[in-house]
Amino acid sequence: MPSGFMQFADKYLMWKEGPMIWGSDVAILLVSIGIVFVLTYFHKWKWLWREWITTVDHKKIGIMYLICALLMLFRGGADAELLRTQLAIPNNHFLSAEHYDQIFTTHGTIMILFMAMPFIFALFNIVVPLQIGARDVAFPYLNAISFWLFFFAAMLFNLSFVFGGSPDASWVSYPPLSELGFDPGPGENYYLLALQITGIGSIATGINFLATIFKMRAPGMKLMHMPLFTWSTVAACVVIIFAFPALAIAIALLTLDRIFGTHFFTILHGGNPMMFVNLFWVWGHPEVYIVVLPAFGVYSEVVATFARKRIFGYSSMVASLMLISVISYFVWAHHFFTMGAGADVNTFFAVASMLVGIPTGVKVFNWLFTMYRGRIRMTLPMLWTIAFVPCFAIGGATGIMLAAAPADYQYHNSYFLIAHFHQVLIGGVVFGMLAGMYYWWPKMFGFKLDERLGRWAFWFFNIGFYVCFMPQYALGFMGMQRRMYTYPADMGWNTLNLISTIGAYIMAIGFVFIVIQVLYSVKYGERDLTGDPWDGRTLEWSLPSPAPHYNFAVIPTVTSRDVWWELKEQGRTDELKPKAEDIKPIHMPKNLARPFFMGLAFFVAGFGFVFDSMWLGFLGLAGVVACLIARALEYNDDYHIPVHEVVETEATLGRLG
């Protein structure tokens, strides 16, 4: 082969990295060929373009977010299995030290920003407009842009695994470790550009859903009539709008340091690395609440539905959600109690970190009181919700331990911390997102996921979770530090690390069962013929499954909380069935390709700046500007669904009053 090609292959295709990279290259190639073959063989290219790539329908965008989140859960989970395999035994060299650094960096980044965030955005899109009686979100075009920015940012970040090298400065990427002098190569650039692109989409989503909830609720739906999942969306979006700009600023400054030679964080040139640390955690700790608040909303909906009772303490639940969103801004410095900020600062942030446990505790007790004397049905959503309670209680208790500044000097950067944040992020967020996925799956696709396979997945995942993370608390007390590549055999950590790794493998079996469950249920799952398979309480269950693209033929009038439940109890459900004479032409947005091309332009720009190719980077930015200008000059972007088409659709669904 020509020497130039070999140099390119060694540097960018990482051919010297060994079988793991070779296998990944082959797998990516085969999957890509398979996708192209299937789409071509079944003549689905036009269908993919018309129905999905160009869609602005919030329900389809939510489904695409969900698919991406599950794929990223697999990718982040595979990283976790590699990490635990490396740590299963002492003096192990399954991974090289550099590869280990890359994997724990990508694992954390993917799980927080490319798995948890799209998972909550999936539920926002699928549920919120239906719950508040809206036909779409406030800005459908912006919603599509947000998705494609996330999608191409995820593609850019994951490309690093097989082209150029992954970031290796951890998911927090503190300078000076992440500065160019200590971390040359494209890896850290991938991290910075991908996060910047997806962060823009996240801010837009926060604005979009706040506008949707405040301005597009059905007539009569007062704020205190809104379902609790919608309230949790409000709380999360408030935090998104004020927290994500801090991350955008931090990574923009670090990008300027690395690519354009500035020195915002370079000590020798007057920079201050602690400025990055503060900016990062001004976003980073509220981010934990961004992803867990929607999970709290899911638990509230699930508990009320499957206990067949109104949620206990609705007003206090709303207040707790909003209090958490406010207090979340006052806890960031507990991440660096040991950095010498002083007793006064540490005391303030320690107290604030403990205070956030109060509204969280209120919510847990309210869920328990709702279940008390309820006629509980142990469905899959309810199983995941009940499993959350003890798991999050342990995570909350260990969080209070970490919030005590003097004690944190012992726990800081130890495996005790690793166990804690996995306890709350998996037990809180992942359990919640899976509960939400199972709960609203029939509304998305028109069929339930198989209960038997789902229970196998539940038990494998939960048992594996405790086997994996409980030993890590003890390892932390025994002195094992996070980010350790390997350890000597005489530290006394061998058995607990092996047990922890076995637990991680058991969790992986649980995930495999979820995949099998989905594939099996596509053909054999129980079909939802009523639109209300769970005997639900809120407005989305008044619609067929899946809902028509316009959602409501006639926007309903809401007079109370749990309006659908009350109408069922009173035998008045026909009131929500539209009458032919009440149906009017429905104004809807057209499908548009420009959000996809804007995301692609951001990808090109990001790829160019990752490799210091200024012409390619600015070409991509020019594409973004061109899309914005074209949008500003676009007027024919909507249409009306004629009355006869709506009447025909509703008649087919058996919904005409």
Side-chain angles (χ1 to χ4, degrees), residues 372-395:
Y372 180 64
R373 291 187 175 177
R375 291 170 287 169
I376 298 175
R377 290 173 289 160
M378 296 304 292
T379 60
L380 283 174
M382 195 65 182
L383 277 175
W384 285 100
T385 298
I386 291 175
F388 148 81
V389 175
C391 187
F392 204 77
I394 296 170

Side-chain angles (χ1 to χ4, degrees), residues 550 583-586 639-649:
Y550 51 78
I583 295 175
K584 295 179 173 55
I586 296 176
Y639 71 105
H640 285 83
I641 305 174
V643 170
H644 71 86
E645 184 178 325
V646 179
V647 170
E648 183 179 332
T649 301

